[in-house]
Amino acid sequence: MVHLTAEEKSLISSMWGKVNVDEVGGEALGRLLIVYPWTQRFFDSFGDLSTPDAVMSNAKVKAHGKKVLNSFSDGLKNLDNLKGTFAKLSELHCDKLHVDPENFKLLGNVLVCVLARHFGREFTPLAQAAYQKVVAGVANALAHKYH
Amino acid sequence: MVLSPADKTNIKSTWDKIGGHAGDYGGEALDRTFQSFPTTKTYFPHFDLSPGSAQVKAHGKKVADALTTAVAHLDDLPGALSALSDLHAYKLRVDPVNFKLLSHCLLVTLACHHPTEFTPAVHASLDKFFAAVSTVLTSKYR
C-alpha cells in the first residue's frame, strides 16, 4: 500500500492532469534505453537503437512507451490497490517477459527525471517525494507476483 | 563504466551552464534526497533539516564544490577525490546505496533547472559521472 497524505494525492493528480501521457511515455522509455543501455535486451525486435537520436525517434519505442505509461496512469487511479491493479501485468512480466524487477525501479526514476524536466520549478521536492512513493509502489506491485 | 570523450564534453558543458548556481543546486538536491528518501536523514542527526535550512545549504555547497573539482579532473577522479574517499571510508561510512539516491536527486535538480540542456545523451553522461564519483568515494570502504 502506498501511504500518501492528502496534500501528496492532490499534487499527484493535479500534475498528472497536465501530463501528455503518450509523449512522456515515449520519452521515459527512450531515456531508459539510452541511459541504461542494457535494458535494450528486452527490445531486440525494435530495430535501430544504436544512437540517442535513433532511440528517441523510433516508432516502436514511442508506441511501447505510450502503452507503458497508460498502464501507469491506471495505477494512479487505484493508489489504494496497486497490487490488485497490476497483478496480471506482474505475472506477465515474470512468466512471459522475464523482466528483472530492478528495471521497474530504473524506469520509475527515469520517469521522475522526465517529469522534472517538463515541470521545472513546479516539480518541488514535495512533488518529487510524492511521485517517488508512487513509482516505488508501482514497481513493488509489478514485482509482487514474481516467483 | 568508463567516461567517453563525449561524456566528458557533456559533463563539462553542463557544469559551464550551471555556473554560479552549483552551490544552490547542491542544497536543493540534498533537500530532495531528505524528502524523497527519509532514511538518508539518519546521517544528519546533528543538522536542522527543515526546508531552507542554512546547514543544508552550506552542506549542499560543499557537495557542489567537490563535484566541480571532479569535473575539472575527469581524467583522474581517484586522485582528485582521494581525500574525500578517505573521509567517506573511515569517518562518514555512508552506506553505498545512498550515493545512488543523491545522484538521482542531482539529476532531478538539473532536469528542473535546465530542461533544454538535459537531453537524453547529457542525462546518460551525467548519470555515468555521478556513478563514477560514487564509485571513487566508496572505493576504500573495504
Side-chain angles (χ1 to χ4, degrees), chain B residues 60-84:
Chain B
K61 181 156 188 328
K62 250 187 191 171
V63 169
D65 287 345
L67 288 172
T68 302
T69 300
V71 172
H73 295 91
L74 292 175
D75 293 328
D76 180 25
L77 289 176
L81 300 174
S82 179
L84 273 176

Side-chain angles (χ1 to χ4, degrees), chain A residues 127-147:
Chain A
Q128 180 188 350
Y131 271 98
Q132 295 289 170
K133 287 188 189 179
V134 173
V135 301
V138 172
N140 283 338
L142 279 171
H144 189 64
K145 292 286 192 181
Y146 272 60
H147 59 97

Side-chain angles (χ1 to χ4, degrees), chain A residues 90-138:
Chain A
S90 180
E91 284 170 8
L92 178 78
H93 281 76
C94 173
D95 299 331
K96 294 265 154 34
L97 304 177
H98 311 292
V99 176
D100 178 343
E102 184 59 30
N103 291 283
F104 308 140
K105 295 184 197 173
L106 291 179
L107 182 59
N109 279 337
V110 171
L111 177 60
V112 167
C113 286
V114 171
L115 292 174
R117 207 176 78 78
H118 281 247
F119 287 106
R121 268 156 245 253
E122 199 185 332
F123 198 65
T124 59
L126 203 61
Q128 180 188 350
Y131 271 98
Q132 295 289 170
K133 287 188 189 179
V134 173
V135 301
V138 172

Side-chain angles (χ1 to χ4, degrees), chain B residues 64-101:
Chain B
D65 287 345
L67 288 172
T68 302
T69 300
V71 172
H73 295 91
L74 292 175
D75 293 328
D76 180 25
L77 289 176
L81 300 174
S82 179
L84 273 176
S85 180
D86 289 341
L87 182 74
H88 283 78
Y90 306 124
K91 187 147 181 281
L92 302 177
R93 292 168 292 185
V94 173
D95 190 285
V97 75
N98 295 285
F99 293 94
K100 285 195 188 183
L101 303 179

Side-chain angles (χ1 to χ4, degrees), chain B residues 41-48 55:
Chain B
K41 296 191 291 186
T42 55
Y43 292 97
F44 298 92
H46 52 300
F47 265 30
D48 163 23
Q55 283 177 308

